[in-house]
Amino acid sequence: MSNSNKVAIFSKAEQICQANGVKFTAKRQNVFAVLLDSTVPLSAYDIVDKYRETYQETLAPMSVYRMLDVLIELSLVHKLSSENKYLACSHITCDHKHEIPQFLICNSCGKVAEKGIQKSVIEALKNSIEQADFQLINSQIELQCLCKDCAKTTKD
């Protein structure tokens, strides 16, 4: 990621925090930076390790979880429930209204792509769920896939 992209992302993240009355503390910024710099989602313990390597400072895992909760609440970070891992939102600097996220997770290399789902698709799922006498709790969809590179490798 280029430095100009990173600056724009941090600037927008700061604006989002201010608009919500949340301090974008140095430690929250650093945890966010660890996720931005990663090419794959990270567990809280992975974040603790990378934080220590990058900033020569130790964070308790519970502190990381609390910081992640704040960043998730602000939609700066997403949690992949199926993996119990975290990644920075890939749409932070977009100016358009976002659709509901779905995550395509490569089973081979761990790469993740964030894509939006139209609300009409989620509404249809919600209606189907309600017809089965259930209630939708979380509309985030995580699909296990193979990325183009890994799919090509398995064909060869």
Side-chain angles (χ1 to χ4, degrees), residues 90-150:
S90 63
H91 302 287
I92 293 171
T93 57
C94 297
D95 289 332
H96 62 274
K97 184 166 172 55
H98 294 139
E99 297 172 315
I100 296 166
Q102 75 172 336
F103 298 95
L104 311 176
I105 305 167
C106 181
N107 279 349
S108 183
C109 70
K111 178 175 146 182
V112 175
E114 179 182 345
K115 299 292 180 186
I117 300 176
Q118 295 176 355
K119 287 188 180 196
S120 61
V121 173
I122 296 300
E123 284 301 317
L125 285 170
K126 185 178 176 185
N127 289 338
S128 178
I129 290 165
E130 287 172 356
Q131 288 173 5
D133 293 327
F134 281 79
Q135 184 178 359
L136 182 63
I137 296 172
N138 181 353
S139 59
Q140 178 174 300
I141 296 176
E142 299 173 25
L143 300 171
Q144 302 302 314
C145 307
L146 282 178
C147 70
K148 182 179 174 182
D149 295 333
C150 292

Side-chain angles (χ1 to χ4, degrees), residues 23-144:
K23 291 182 181 177
F24 198 34
T25 64
K27 288 184 181 181
R28 286 179 183 158
Q29 288 179 36
N30 293 344
V31 165
F32 185 59
V34 165
L35 288 170
L36 278 176
D37 290 339
S38 180
T39 58
V40 295
L42 301 173
S43 71
Y45 289 91
D46 294 335
I47 294 168
V48 166
D49 292 341
K50 294 210 180 281
Y51 191 99
R52 184 177 51 248
E53 291 168 15
T54 305
Y55 301 103
Q56 289 73 50
E57 183 181 352
T58 301
L59 284 179
M62 285 310 300
S63 294
V64 171
Y65 281 117
R66 283 192 296 273
M67 286 182 235
L68 289 168
D69 286 343
V70 170
L71 297 173
I72 289 167
E73 184 68 29
L74 298 171
S75 297
L76 297 172
V77 168
H78 298 295
K79 179 180 182 182
L80 298 177
S81 298
S82 64
E83 309 271 322
N84 200 27
K85 293 185 178 182
Y86 303 86
L87 70 158
C89 178
S90 63
H91 302 287
I92 293 171
T93 57
C94 297
D95 289 332
H96 62 274
K97 184 166 172 55
H98 294 139
E99 297 172 315
I100 296 166
Q102 75 172 336
F103 298 95
L104 311 176
I105 305 167
C106 181
N107 279 349
S108 183
C109 70
K111 178 175 146 182
V112 175
E114 179 182 345
K115 299 292 180 186
I117 300 176
Q118 295 176 355
K119 287 188 180 196
S120 61
V121 173
I122 296 300
E123 284 301 317
L125 285 170
K126 185 178 176 185
N127 289 338
S128 178
I129 290 165
E130 287 172 356
Q131 288 173 5
D133 293 327
F134 281 79
Q135 184 178 359
L136 182 63
I137 296 172
N138 181 353
S139 59
Q140 178 174 300
I141 296 176
E142 299 173 25
L143 300 171
Q144 302 302 314

